[in-house]
């Protein structure tokens, strides 16, 4: 497994940004006596853009979950970035985080690393504010992703400014965006939705799950008792999401790459 931390100048934001790229590569279990190690991948990797929550940054998924191991076992690249508390939307003063995540970051990743450019091999997921961001990007650009994962998402992000303690950029209404997509006959990515039953966001997430059902949108819904808005829950849900992904890439169906 290669864990890369990278800084590059963003034309969407106007300054340097830090990101992480997790790439499945040679590991110690590939060094047996009969092995023929190689650093060249057999094909481009599928890629997951994994979004952080409010008050987090690009390292949090790495620090608080086993994301790196999960990615290596399943042979999938994972990209994380920081957007402050801007909800993955375009903000004031040139901080165009929607454009950065939607266009510039994939351009940089696909141009510099062995990952697939095919939308069906491209996934987006996140927790809390990042769960909102994953749904906002996945529903506003459904042609760009094979699947979307929303872990304890802030469904009504735009109405939570008073509890967040600061103003947010203009946000996408997830109910309206979903209905617009369906009314326009757009094909949606596969959807994965989960929330702990003791989470303060639980009722709002259940309401969105019920709206998906009312519009006959196929999706996975997972809800576990005893969990709040916490990393212990998200660390349980991440491998479930990764195993559920509707993969068709060159590595799909291979046994887990045990470490």
């Amino acid at each position: 497994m290669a864990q890369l931390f990278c800084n590059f100048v963003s034309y969407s934001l106007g300054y340097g940004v830090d990101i992480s790229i997790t790439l499945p590569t040679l590991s110690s279990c590939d060094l047996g006596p009969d092995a023929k190690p190689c650093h060249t991948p057999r094909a481009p990797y599928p890629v997951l853009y994994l979004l952080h929550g409010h008050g987090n940054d690009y390292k949090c998924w790495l620090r608080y979950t086993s994301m790196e191991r999960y990615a290596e076992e399943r042979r999938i690249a994972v990209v994380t970035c920081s957007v402050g508390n801007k909800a993955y939307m375009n903000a004031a003063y040139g901080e165009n985080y929607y454009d950065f995540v939607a266009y510039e970051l994939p351009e940089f990743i696909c141009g510099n690393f062995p990952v697939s450019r095919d939308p069906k091999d491209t996934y987006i997921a996140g927790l809390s504010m990042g769960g909102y961001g994953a749904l906002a990007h996945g529903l506003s650009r459904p042609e760009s992703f094979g699947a979307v994962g929303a872990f304890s998402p802030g469904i009504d992000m735009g109405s939570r400014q008073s509890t967040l303690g600061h103003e947010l950029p203009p946000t996408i209404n997830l109910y309206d965006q979903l209905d617009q997509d369906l009314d326009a006959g757009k094909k949606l990515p596969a959807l994965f939705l989960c929330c702990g039953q003791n989470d303060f966001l639980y009722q709002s997430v259940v309401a969105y799950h019920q709206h998906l059902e009312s519009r006959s949108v196929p999706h996975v819904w997972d809800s576990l008792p005893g969990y709040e808005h916490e990393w212990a829950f998200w660390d349980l849900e991440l491998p479930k999401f990764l195993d559920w992904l509707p993969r068709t890439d060159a590595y799909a169906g291979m046994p887990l790459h045990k470490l």
Side-chain angles (χ1 to χ4, degrees), residues 23-47:
L23 286 173
T25 52
L26 198 66
S27 65
S28 57
C29 62
D30 299 311
L31 302 179
D34 298 322
K36 296 181 179 179
C38 177
H39 288 293
T40 303
R42 58 187 287 183
Y45 292 112
V47 58

Side-chain angles (χ1 to χ4, degrees), residues 2 4 20 56 60 72-73 96 100 115 142 173 193 198-199 251:
L4 310 175
S20 77
N56 296 160
C60 284
E72 172 65 27
E73 289 173 343
N96 295 318
F100 175 72
V115 302
N173 184 296
L193 188 65
N198 291 352
D199 195 312
Y251 306 95

Side-chain angles (χ1 to χ4, degrees), residues 238-255:
L238 181 57
K240 293 181 186 179
F241 170 73
L242 292 172
D243 289 338
W244 162 83
L245 287 175
R247 290 175 56 174
T248 59
D249 58 87
Y251 306 95
M254 295 180 69

Side-chain angles (χ1 to χ4, degrees), residues 23-193:
L23 286 173
T25 52
L26 198 66
S27 65
S28 57
C29 62
D30 299 311
L31 302 179
D34 298 322
K36 296 181 179 179
C38 177
H39 288 293
T40 303
R42 58 187 287 183
Y45 292 112
V47 58
L48 168 63
Y49 293 91
L50 194 55
L51 310 183
H52 67 76
H54 188 271
N56 296 160
D57 61 25
Y58 76 106
K59 287 187 177 180
C60 284
W61 277 105
L62 288 163
R63 294 176 63 194
Y64 300 130
T65 76
S66 295
M67 181 272 280
E68 183 176 358
R69 177 169 60 86
Y70 299 151
E72 172 65 27
E73 289 173 343
R74 292 156 180 83
R75 300 171 179 85
I76 184 171
V78 180
V79 177
T80 68
C81 65
S82 294
V83 303
N85 293 326
K86 300 300 193 297
Y88 300 90
M89 297 289 107
N90 286 346
Y93 312 114
E95 290 188 320
N96 295 318
Y97 282 111
Y98 183 94
D99 293 346
F100 175 72
V101 172
Y103 310 115
E104 185 177 4
L105 184 59
E107 180 205 352
F108 179 82
I109 294 298
C110 293
N112 290 281
F113 301 97
V115 302
S116 175
R117 297 176 182 269
D118 194 325
K120 71 176 184 297
D121 299 332
T122 304
Y123 315 109
I124 190 167
L127 64 90
S128 194
M129 182 187 76
Y132 165 82
L135 286 168
H137 280 261
L139 294 176
S140 63
R141 300 182 292 112
E143 71 285 350
S144 300
F145 301 104
V148 174
F151 305 162
S152 314
I155 296 295
D156 52 351
M157 199 73 197
S159 67
R160 292 191 172 272
Q161 304 208 26
S162 60
T163 60
L164 295 175
H166 62 86
E167 291 187 3
L168 288 173
T171 54
I172 293 171
N173 184 296
L174 298 181
Y175 284 90
D176 292 346
Q177 186 64 63
L178 175 70
D179 291 343
Q180 290 171 20
D181 289 348
L182 295 174
D183 294 345
K186 293 185 178 181
K187 177 179 170 52
L188 298 180
L191 297 177
F192 181 103
L193 188 65

